[in-house]
Amino acid sequence: MTFARPFLLACLSALLVWLLAQSLALGAARNALDQTLLLTTRAVEAEVDRLRALPAVAAEDARIRAALAGTGPLQDANIYLETVAAHAGADELFLIDAQGETIAASNWNSPGSFVGENYAFRPYFQDALATGRGQFYAIGVTTGVPGYFLSVRVAVGDTLGVMVVKLDLRPLQDTWRAAEADVALADEHGVVFLSARPDWQYRPLLELSPETLDHLAATRAYEGVGLGRTAPLLSGLPSGVDAAGAGWIARLGPVPATGGQVIAVRPTRGLQLMALGWAVLAALTTLAIAAAAKTFEQRRQIVALRLSQSEKLEAMVIARTADLAREVEARAQAEADLRATQEALIHTEKMAAMGRMSAAIVHEISQPLAAMEATLSAAELGMQPGDTGTAGRIGKARDMIRRMQRTTRHLKSFARKEAVELTLIDLRASLQSALELVLPRAKVVGVTPSLDMPGTAVQVMAGAVRIEQVVANLLLNALDAVEGVPDARVGVTLTVVDGEARIDVHDNGAGIAEGDLPRVTEPFFSTKLTGEGLGLGLAICKAILADFRGRLDIRSEAGQGTHVTVTLPLAETEDRAR
């Protein structure tokens, strides 16, 4: 943590300085590029404007006009154009008739002479005839030399023609490359035709549409350079006058003289290195300041430590005393926990002894109780007719004996560990049998339990009689709970969910208190106030379900009723096939 904070501060300061330095560097670069744009635009305009008037001036010569009208020799026009082009520094100067055929040219005696060539497809010819002037950049179809063409319309009476001058702008490009000026010129379609970067030559700024490619193919402007197969320089539209590519930024500006664009480019590597240098310097400065602050803080802490040494020793003694007090308290708590554990073990042993004693008591009193019931039956047979008083007393005695027999049966069931025999049973049959067993009790309470089961068999591996015992016990508990409750309801639902069978027994009785709910399945715990229950019913149910890999879940709210869910795994496929 001691080193992490200065390091994070250094990284943050480096990031901020890097962003600021990069922003400043980009701003300075854009200003420099704007200056380059201005100078390049003026240079291009000066070069074009230098010969812009030449076609119009040359067209006024009598030899040119006579040649166009067909009244003078063409050779005189050729010699005149050759002389004017040489003096003016023009690449070529030529005269085209109204059908687009060249009738006189300054290169009349050169191998690539324009004389006799038809240029009616060129835009500079079409624009000059239509509007009086035209301009166009293209690669020469006759010489293969690129150039910028300026044209004017010439009229001799009713005869029309076009005078054209061709400018070779490649010296500008050579000058840019010699001076390492990273600039380029693009035409009105965004195709770069002059560039200080050779790899930019004849590449579009943006992807050209099929219509534009068809137009350029019709005018044969860039014939032979494979314009449609070259990748564009920009991947997206420029942001105003700003453009960016892989490792460079650029500023774009219009060139009114040509109708195209000038691009001034600047590599970003140097800008990034400069910004990175400032960022590293800022990080090192931050670390140095942090180190100085840390040194000062450590010295202050050492002085403070020496001054407060006695106070710290006293505080250590107090802390140690407090620790000893906590240890004493912890030992006392451990002793209390040990005593509680011992008491729990003693209680468990008592419960085990009670179980063994219950089994012995059941064994000892079962036969006397049976004998007493038989004796009362014999006395009842020998009783005089009409002796209703004696009959009533005998009936009460037999009821108490049967109550004692029920108690002994519960104790015997709880104490006895029966062998678990698993058979394939249909839970629907067990639920029907359990419901029939409790119907007498249900009639006494005045409730008819509802039963909702699926139409197909729900098979589990269990014991049919013991499952009936579980469901009957739960139903009897529910009937006891709703006795005396207005609009009493008891229901049983059988469903299949996620590979398990679920038996839900629910009632709207008094419910179970929240504090008693965790203990209702403990042996000998009962919430009944009549004294008729031993508190073994749910404990026996839970033990039976454990033998069948089942679960018993109880949900209840006081005054809202109780919901008991028995969950048993469905029989596997191989078990059903047996």
Side-chain angles (χ1 to χ4, degrees):
M1 181 60 71
T2 303
F3 176 74
R5 184 175 297 175
F7 180 76
L8 290 175
L9 289 175
C11 291
L12 181 59
S13 63
L15 177 62
L16 293 177
V17 171
W18 180 77
L19 292 174
L20 179 60
Q22 191 176 48
S23 177
L24 293 176
L26 287 174
R30 290 190 181 98
N31 291 333
L33 290 175
D34 288 339
Q35 295 294 325
T36 303
L37 281 180
L38 180 61
L39 294 175
T40 304
T41 301
R42 289 180 178 177
V44 172
E45 289 181 338
E47 182 67 18
V48 173
D49 290 341
R50 180 176 65 87
L51 298 178
R52 186 175 296 277
L54 182 60
V57 173
E60 296 299 324
D61 189 83
R63 287 163 288 190
I64 298 300
R65 300 178 73 83
L68 180 61
T71 59
L74 295 177
Q75 186 62 21
D76 292 346
N78 286 329
I79 295 174
Y80 170 74
L81 293 177
E82 180 182 13
T83 303
V84 172
H87 284 289
D91 186 40
E92 304 294 347
L93 188 63
F94 52 100
L95 177 64
I96 305 174
D97 64 13
Q99 286 71 40
E101 185 174 344
T102 304
I103 59 177
S106 60
N107 62 351
W108 61 275
N109 59 349
S110 300
S113 175
F114 292 169
V115 177
E117 298 291 340
N118 192 295
Y119 298 113
F121 60 88
R122 290 294 202 186
Y124 61 77
F125 172 77
Q126 299 168 2
D127 292 343
L129 284 181
T131 64
R133 288 187 175 275
Q135 56 185 15
F136 186 63
Y137 183 88
I139 297 175
V141 295
T142 303
T143 62
V145 177
Y148 199 80
F149 297 85
L150 298 172
S151 60
V152 295
R153 183 174 57 202
V154 182
V156 180
D158 295 332
T159 304
L160 297 178
V162 176
M163 177 66 70
V164 185
V165 62
K166 178 181 179 182
L167 289 78
D168 187 359
L169 298 180
R170 289 179 298 173
L172 272 178
Q173 179 176 267
D174 297 337
T175 302
W176 296 340
R177 294 179 180 178
E180 297 183 353
D182 212 349
V183 294
L185 281 179
D187 63 11
E188 65 273 16
H189 303 294
V191 179
V192 175
F193 58 84
L194 287 181
S195 174
R197 295 186 173 199
D199 59 320
W200 281 29
Q201 195 81 8
Y202 303 125
R203 289 179 62 184
L205 294 177
L206 297 171
E207 189 77 30
L208 297 177
S209 65
E211 294 78 9
T212 303
L213 289 173
D214 292 342
H215 173 73
L216 292 176
T219 60
R220 301 171 67 182
Y222 300 102
E223 191 172 43
V225 299
L227 184 62
R229 298 186 298 272
T230 55
L233 296 172
L234 302 178
S235 58
L237 292 174
S239 177
V241 298
D242 289 314
W248 53 267
I249 60 172
R251 299 279 279 183
L252 309 178
V255 183
T258 64
Q261 291 178 301
V262 62
I263 306 108
V265 187
R266 174 75 179 269
T268 57
R269 179 177 177 80
L271 303 178
Q272 293 174 347
L273 289 177
M274 183 181 67
L276 182 61
W278 280 106
V280 171
L281 180 61
L284 293 176
T285 303
T286 303
L287 290 176
I289 294 173
K294 185 64 177 178
T295 302
F296 175 77
E297 179 63 19
Q298 287 178 344
R299 289 183 179 179
R300 188 193 65 80
Q301 290 178 354
I302 291 173
V303 173
L305 180 62
R306 290 176 179 175
L307 292 176
S308 61
Q309 197 169 27
S310 59
E311 296 179 0
K312 288 191 175 182
L313 288 175
E314 184 179 355
M316 290 174 64
V317 171
I318 295 173
R320 182 55 183 163
T321 303
D323 290 340
L324 290 174
R326 285 192 292 271
E327 290 179 6
V328 171
E329 185 179 353
R331 287 178 181 272
Q333 182 63 38
E335 292 176 358
D337 293 341
L338 179 60
R339 284 194 297 271
T341 303
Q342 290 174 343
E343 292 174 358
L345 290 174
I346 292 171
H347 178 71
T348 302
E349 184 62 28
K350 287 181 179 180
M351 294 298 295
M354 182 178 292
R356 293 191 295 271
M357 184 176 64
S358 299
I361 292 172
V362 167
H363 179 73
E364 292 296 331
I365 69 175
S366 293
Q367 291 182 353
L369 288 174
M372 290 172 65
E373 186 178 11
T375 301
L376 290 174
S377 298
E380 189 177 18
L381 291 174
M383 187 178 57
Q384 294 296 328
D387 191 355
T388 58
T390 302
R393 287 190 291 271
I394 291 175
K396 290 181 179 179
R398 292 182 67 183
D399 288 341
M400 287 188 288
I401 290 172
R402 289 172 181 172
R403 178 177 174 185
M404 294 173 66
Q405 286 177 332
R406 286 197 301 272
T407 302
T408 58
R409 281 197 298 273
H410 279 298
L411 289 172
K412 185 186 294 185
S413 177
F414 180 70
R416 182 174 64 240
K417 180 65 176 179
E418 298 181 355
V420 179
E421 296 182 1
L422 301 180
T423 58
L424 185 65
I425 66 170
D426 185 358
L427 284 180
R428 300 183 302 169
S430 297
L431 264 61
Q432 288 281 9
S433 300
L435 194 60
E436 292 174 0
L437 288 175
V438 301
L439 280 180
R441 172 61 177 163
K443 291 180 180 179
V444 173
V445 176
V447 177
T448 301
S450 63
L451 180 60
D452 184 10
M453 300 185 298
T456 57
V458 181
Q459 295 179 326
V460 298
M461 295 299 294
V465 175
R466 302 185 75 188
I467 290 296
E468 290 175 10
Q469 181 182 356
V470 169
V471 178
N473 202 338
L474 297 178
L475 283 171
L476 289 174
N477 285 344
L479 291 171
D480 291 342
V482 300
E483 187 172 6
V485 174
D487 191 23
R489 295 188 303 276
V490 174
V492 182
T493 304
L494 175 61
T495 57
V496 176
V497 180
D498 297 333
E500 293 181 327
R502 293 187 182 179
I503 304 171
D504 294 308
V505 180
H506 48 86
D507 63 73
N508 63 340
I512 303 172
E514 184 178 356
D516 294 336
L517 195 59
R519 301 183 57 198
V520 292
T521 56
E522 294 180 2
F524 305 108
F525 179 83
S526 176
T527 60
K528 297 179 181 179
L529 302 178
T530 61
E532 295 183 357
L534 285 178
L536 294 176
L538 290 178
I540 294 172
C541 291
K542 186 174 181 181
I544 292 174
L545 291 174
D547 292 338
F548 303 147
R549 295 186 295 121
R551 301 191 305 276
L552 183 69
D553 298 311
I554 304 175
R555 302 191 305 275
S556 180
E557 292 185 23
Q560 300 295 323
T562 303
H563 193 118
V564 182
T565 302
V566 173
T567 305
L568 291 167
L570 292 176
E572 302 292 338
T573 305
E574 56 268 21
D575 294 331
R576 301 179 185 180
R578 291 175 185 173

Short mmCIF file of all heavy atoms in Angstrom, two decimals, residues 233-257:
data_model
loop_
_atom_site.label_atom_id
_atom_site.label_comp_id
_atom_site.label_asym_id
_atom_site.label_seq_id
_atom_site.Cartn_x
_atom_site.Cartn_y
_atom_site.Cartn_z
N LEU A 233 -7.67 6.03 -48.60
CA LEU A 233 -6.74 6.48 -47.55
C LEU A 233 -7.45 6.65 -46.22
O LEU A 233 -6.83 6.51 -45.16
CB LEU A 233 -6.08 7.81 -47.96
CG LEU A 233 -5.20 7.73 -49.20
CD1 LEU A 233 -4.76 9.13 -49.63
CD2 LEU A 233 -3.98 6.86 -48.94
N LEU A 234 -8.75 6.99 -46.23
CA LEU A 234 -9.50 7.22 -45.00
C LEU A 234 -10.51 6.11 -44.81
O LEU A 234 -11.12 5.64 -45.78
CB LEU A 234 -10.22 8.57 -45.04
CG LEU A 234 -9.35 9.82 -45.25
CD1 LEU A 234 -10.22 11.06 -45.32
CD2 LEU A 234 -8.34 9.96 -44.13
N SER A 235 -10.68 5.69 -43.56
CA SER A 235 -11.66 4.66 -43.27
C SER A 235 -13.05 5.24 -43.01
O SER A 235 -14.04 4.52 -43.00
CB SER A 235 -11.23 3.85 -42.04
OG SER A 235 -11.07 4.70 -40.92
N GLY A 236 -13.13 6.55 -42.79
CA GLY A 236 -14.41 7.19 -42.54
C GLY A 236 -14.38 8.63 -43.00
O GLY A 236 -13.33 9.16 -43.43
N LEU A 237 -15.52 9.29 -42.94
CA LEU A 237 -15.59 10.69 -43.37
C LEU A 237 -14.71 11.55 -42.48
O LEU A 237 -14.65 11.35 -41.26
CB LEU A 237 -17.04 11.17 -43.30
CG LEU A 237 -18.01 10.53 -44.31
CD1 LEU A 237 -19.43 11.00 -44.03
CD2 LEU A 237 -17.61 10.89 -45.73
N PRO A 238 -14.02 12.54 -43.05
CA PRO A 238 -13.21 13.44 -42.21
C PRO A 238 -14.09 14.31 -41.34
O PRO A 238 -15.25 14.60 -41.66
CB PRO A 238 -12.45 14.28 -43.26
CG PRO A 238 -13.26 14.19 -44.50
CD PRO A 238 -13.92 12.84 -44.48
N SER A 239 -13.53 14.70 -40.19
CA SER A 239 -14.25 15.57 -39.25
C SER A 239 -13.96 17.02 -39.63
O SER A 239 -12.97 17.61 -39.16
CB SER A 239 -13.82 15.27 -37.82
OG SER A 239 -14.45 16.15 -36.92
N GLY A 240 -14.80 17.58 -40.46
CA GLY A 240 -14.56 18.94 -40.93
C GLY A 240 -13.34 18.96 -41.83
O GLY A 240 -13.28 18.29 -42.86
N VAL A 241 -12.32 19.74 -41.43
CA VAL A 241 -11.08 19.80 -42.20
C VAL A 241 -10.04 18.85 -41.64
O VAL A 241 -8.91 18.79 -42.16
CB VAL A 241 -10.53 21.24 -42.21
CG1 VAL A 241 -11.50 22.18 -42.88
CG2 VAL A 241 -10.23 21.72 -40.79
N ASP A 242 -10.37 18.11 -40.59
CA ASP A 242 -9.42 17.18 -39.98
C ASP A 242 -9.67 15.78 -40.52
O ASP A 242 -10.80 15.34 -40.69
CB ASP A 242 -9.57 17.16 -38.46
CG ASP A 242 -9.08 18.44 -37.81
OD1 ASP A 242 -7.97 18.88 -38.20
OD2 ASP A 242 -9.77 18.99 -36.95
N ALA A 243 -8.57 15.08 -40.77
CA ALA A 243 -8.63 13.69 -41.20
C ALA A 243 -7.50 12.95 -40.52
O ALA A 243 -6.50 13.54 -40.10
CB ALA A 243 -8.52 13.58 -42.72
N ALA A 244 -7.64 11.65 -40.40
CA ALA A 244 -6.63 10.84 -39.73
C ALA A 244 -6.60 9.48 -40.38
O ALA A 244 -7.61 8.97 -40.87
CB ALA A 244 -6.92 10.72 -38.24
N GLY A 245 -5.41 8.89 -40.38
CA GLY A 245 -5.22 7.55 -40.90
C GLY A 245 -4.27 6.77 -40.03
O GLY A 245 -4.02 7.11 -38.87
N ALA A 246 -3.69 5.72 -40.59
CA ALA A 246 -2.78 4.87 -39.83
C ALA A 246 -1.45 5.59 -39.64
O ALA A 246 -0.62 5.64 -40.54
CB ALA A 246 -2.58 3.54 -40.56
N GLY A 247 -1.27 6.18 -38.46
CA GLY A 247 0.01 6.82 -38.13
C GLY A 247 0.16 8.22 -38.66
O GLY A 247 1.28 8.74 -38.71
N TRP A 248 -0.92 8.90 -39.05
CA TRP A 248 -0.80 10.26 -39.54
C TRP A 248 -2.10 11.02 -39.29
O TRP A 248 -3.16 10.44 -39.12
CB TRP A 248 -0.45 10.29 -41.03
CG TRP A 248 -1.37 9.49 -41.92
CD1 TRP A 248 -1.22 8.22 -42.32
CD2 TRP A 248 -2.61 9.94 -42.52
NE1 TRP A 248 -2.26 7.81 -43.12
CE2 TRP A 248 -3.13 8.86 -43.26
CE3 TRP A 248 -3.32 11.14 -42.49
CZ2 TRP A 248 -4.32 8.93 -43.97
CZ3 TRP A 248 -4.52 11.21 -43.20
CH2 TRP A 248 -4.99 10.12 -43.92
N ILE A 249 -1.95 12.35 -39.28
CA ILE A 249 -3.10 13.24 -39.26
C ILE A 249 -2.96 14.19 -40.44
O ILE A 249 -1.86 14.38 -40.97
CB ILE A 249 -3.20 14.03 -37.93
CG1 ILE A 249 -1.93 14.87 -37.72
CG2 ILE A 249 -3.45 13.10 -36.76
CD1 ILE A 249 -2.04 15.83 -36.54
N ALA A 250 -4.06 14.80 -40.86
CA ALA A 250 -4.03 15.67 -42.03
C ALA A 250 -5.07 16.77 -41.88
O ALA A 250 -6.03 16.64 -41.11
CB ALA A 250 -4.27 14.88 -43.32
N ARG A 251 -4.83 17.85 -42.62
CA ARG A 251 -5.80 18.94 -42.74
C ARG A 251 -6.13 19.08 -44.23
O ARG A 251 -5.25 19.00 -45.09
CB ARG A 251 -5.21 20.25 -42.21
CG ARG A 251 -4.84 20.21 -40.74
CD ARG A 251 -6.03 20.42 -39.84
NE ARG A 251 -6.36 21.83 -39.71
CZ ARG A 251 -7.33 22.29 -38.93
NH1 ARG A 251 -8.07 21.45 -38.25
NH2 ARG A 251 -7.57 23.59 -38.85
N LEU A 252 -7.40 19.29 -44.50
CA LEU A 252 -7.88 19.39 -45.88
C LEU A 252 -8.29 20.82 -46.16
O LEU A 252 -8.87 21.49 -45.31
CB LEU A 252 -9.07 18.46 -46.10
CG LEU A 252 -8.89 16.99 -45.67
CD1 LEU A 252 -10.17 16.22 -45.90
CD2 LEU A 252 -7.76 16.35 -46.44
N GLY A 253 -8.01 21.27 -47.38
CA GLY A 253 -8.40 22.61 -47.79
C GLY A 253 -8.74 22.65 -49.26
O GLY A 253 -8.19 21.88 -50.06
N PRO A 254 -9.66 23.54 -49.67
CA PRO A 254 -10.03 23.60 -51.09
C PRO A 254 -8.98 24.36 -51.90
O PRO A 254 -8.25 25.20 -51.39
CB PRO A 254 -11.36 24.37 -51.06
CG PRO A 254 -11.25 25.24 -49.84
CD PRO A 254 -10.45 24.47 -48.84
N VAL A 255 -8.92 24.04 -53.19
CA VAL A 255 -8.06 24.74 -54.15
C VAL A 255 -8.99 25.31 -55.22
O VAL A 255 -9.38 24.60 -56.15
CB VAL A 255 -7.01 23.81 -54.77
CG1 VAL A 255 -6.09 24.60 -55.69
CG2 VAL A 255 -6.20 23.12 -53.68
N PRO A 256 -9.39 26.57 -55.09
CA PRO A 256 -10.33 27.14 -56.06
C PRO A 256 -9.83 27.08 -57.50
O PRO A 256 -10.63 26.95 -58.43
CB PRO A 256 -10.49 28.59 -55.58
CG PRO A 256 -10.12 28.55 -54.13
CD PRO A 256 -9.05 27.53 -54.01
N ALA A 257 -8.53 27.14 -57.68
CA ALA A 257 -7.99 27.18 -59.04
C ALA A 257 -8.25 25.86 -59.78
O ALA A 257 -8.39 25.85 -61.00
CB ALA A 257 -6.50 27.48 -59.01
#
